[in-house]
Amino acid sequence: MDKETLIRIAEELHQGAFDAKAYYLIMQQYRKNQRNYAEEMKVSPAFYHIVYDALMKACFMEIAKLYDSSNGVVSIGTLLAKCEENQDLFPKYRETLTVDHDGTTFSYPIPYQHQLKPQEECFFKNRVEADRKLFAAFDIPDADNVPVRVDLTFPEFLDLYQKRFNGLSKKRENIRMQRNKLYAHNDEQRIVNSENLPDRYPISYPDVQEMIDFALDCTGLILGILTDVNRAKQYSNIDDWEGTLMLIRLGLKYQEYDFQQSEKAFEEEMRRQLGGNDNGELQ
């Protein structure tokens, strides 16, 4: 496989992970706004219900595509396998520093530096324990939770991501079952025995978050090395929904004020017609 094809595969998967994250973030906003803006959301209940349901399905299907294991599909598993088969496309080290001294050239390989995520620390137990002891010796605050950095060659980096991918095997299987039972097919057993089967397989919000994050990490790493471009991105207005609900809240308050003013004007007019005095009081 050539470098350009591998880049296109990684870019396609990265975009899918990016879209899934956007859907997920808006779903999280829905849960928050449902608590903080309940009355405002009741103005358009059908709209919000349909949007949330559509977001949930879109997010789930993007994740299902990212981790699909069917023959002939392009997925995160495919990407990792292609990288393994084509390691010659990747520099083993981040760069090589060359120094000339007294007519002799010395080369020093500079490895990739990676800050371990909590779920990765189990693969570097000795290094993590040693660094945490060092942090504590220097009285670094919260030494037990300070992130640890490790130096890696590309093969070691790839091996780390393959281990993380394998660690998601149960969740990937749950995603596959949930897709087939609920979204891709009208499963007869689920319909006939709906009272005895759970509506959904055990895919939780933290599971969704973990699978999206891994897909973004994996594709971002590969694209960063192949293209030397940081692909971290996010919609600039992803959190603008609350601003809209705040305007609805103001509208509802104005509506209530307008109603009170109309009611007051009506009462004054009735007093006038029934013979009230100049102060609006009935005689």
Side-chain angles (χ1 to χ4, degrees):
M1 176 175 287
D2 58 76
K3 182 178 178 179
E4 288 69 28
T5 301
L6 194 57
I7 290 174
R8 285 199 299 271
I9 291 174
E11 285 178 335
E12 179 74 16
L13 294 170
H14 187 74
Q15 184 62 49
F18 175 71
D19 290 341
K21 183 176 182 179
Y23 302 148
Y24 178 75
L25 289 174
I26 298 175
M27 287 165 59
Q28 293 298 91
Q29 289 181 50
Y30 184 99
R31 300 174 71 192
K32 175 185 174 183
N33 292 335
Q34 203 172 30
R35 296 191 302 270
N36 299 338
Y37 297 91
E39 293 303 316
E40 290 74 17
M41 291 178 67
K42 286 179 182 177
V43 173
S44 305
F47 170 79
Y48 288 121
H49 176 77
I50 292 171
V51 167
Y52 180 79
D53 194 52
L55 285 169
M56 183 171 62
K57 290 177 180 177
C59 180
F60 179 85
M61 290 307 294
E62 284 294 345
I63 296 173
K65 288 193 296 182
L66 287 168
Y67 291 94
D68 196 352
S69 58
S70 304
N71 291 331
V73 302
V74 175
S75 65
I76 297 296
T78 307
L79 180 63
L80 287 170
K82 296 299 182 184
C83 291
E84 180 71 30
E85 296 168 3
N86 298 275
Q87 291 195 43
D88 56 307
L89 297 177
F90 298 86
K92 184 176 181 179
Y93 297 96
R94 181 167 60 87
E95 60 180 320
T96 300
L97 180 65
T98 302
V99 177
D100 290 325
H101 180 70
D102 291 338
T104 303
T105 300
F106 300 91
S107 296
Y108 301 94
I110 308 299
Y112 299 97
Q113 194 173 63
H114 177 62
Q115 180 173 298
L116 295 177
K117 295 177 171 58
Q119 63 268 31
E120 296 173 338
E121 292 185 359
C122 61
F123 304 121
F124 299 87
K125 288 183 179 180
N126 293 336
R127 175 61 185 274
V128 171
E129 290 177 1
D131 279 16
R132 293 273 163 76
K133 288 179 180 178
L134 188 62
F135 297 154
F138 282 93
D139 294 324
I140 295 177
D142 198 22
D144 289 339
N145 296 303
V146 175
V148 174
R149 291 183 178 273
V150 294
D151 293 333
L152 302 172
T153 62
F154 178 75
E156 291 171 334
F157 227 145
L158 187 60
D159 180 63
L160 171 61
Y161 275 74
Q162 187 63 58
K163 288 177 180 176
R164 285 183 60 187
F165 179 76
N166 293 339
L168 295 171
S169 59
K170 179 61 177 176
K171 294 169 185 176
R172 288 188 282 118
E173 178 60 16
N174 286 341
I175 283 285
R176 186 191 67 80
M177 291 191 298
Q178 188 165 325
R179 178 197 62 189
N180 293 342
K181 294 284 185 181
L182 294 176
Y183 296 102
H185 309 290
N186 288 321
D187 182 77
E188 182 178 359
Q189 183 185 18
R190 183 181 69 84
I191 295 172
V192 174
N193 300 314
S194 58
E195 294 182 358
N196 300 320
L197 292 173
D199 288 338
R200 306 194 185 282
Y201 283 86
I203 296 297
S204 65
Y205 280 108
D207 292 340
V208 169
Q209 179 76 70
E210 183 180 5
M211 300 188 84
I212 292 173
D213 287 345
F214 176 74
L216 284 171
D217 288 347
C218 181
T219 55
L221 165 71
I222 292 166
L223 287 171
I225 293 176
L226 289 177
T227 66
D228 199 28
V229 175
N230 184 357
R231 298 304 176 106
K233 58 181 181 178
Q234 180 170 312
Y235 289 112
S236 60
N237 60 340
I238 194 69
D239 57 352
D240 62 353
W241 183 11
E242 185 173 7
T244 301
L245 290 171
M246 289 175 66
L247 292 175
I248 295 174
R249 175 171 290 178
L250 290 174
L252 291 175
K253 288 182 177 179
Y254 176 79
Q255 188 179 52
E256 181 181 356
Y257 172 78
D258 186 58
F259 175 77
Q260 291 173 348
Q261 293 300 106
S262 298
E263 189 177 49
K264 182 178 179 181
F266 175 76
E267 290 175 351
E268 290 177 350
E269 177 64 18
M270 290 299 296
R271 287 193 183 98
R272 187 187 66 78
Q273 293 184 13
L274 292 174
N277 59 25
D278 291 340
N279 294 323
E281 298 174 349
L282 294 178
Q283 300 294 322

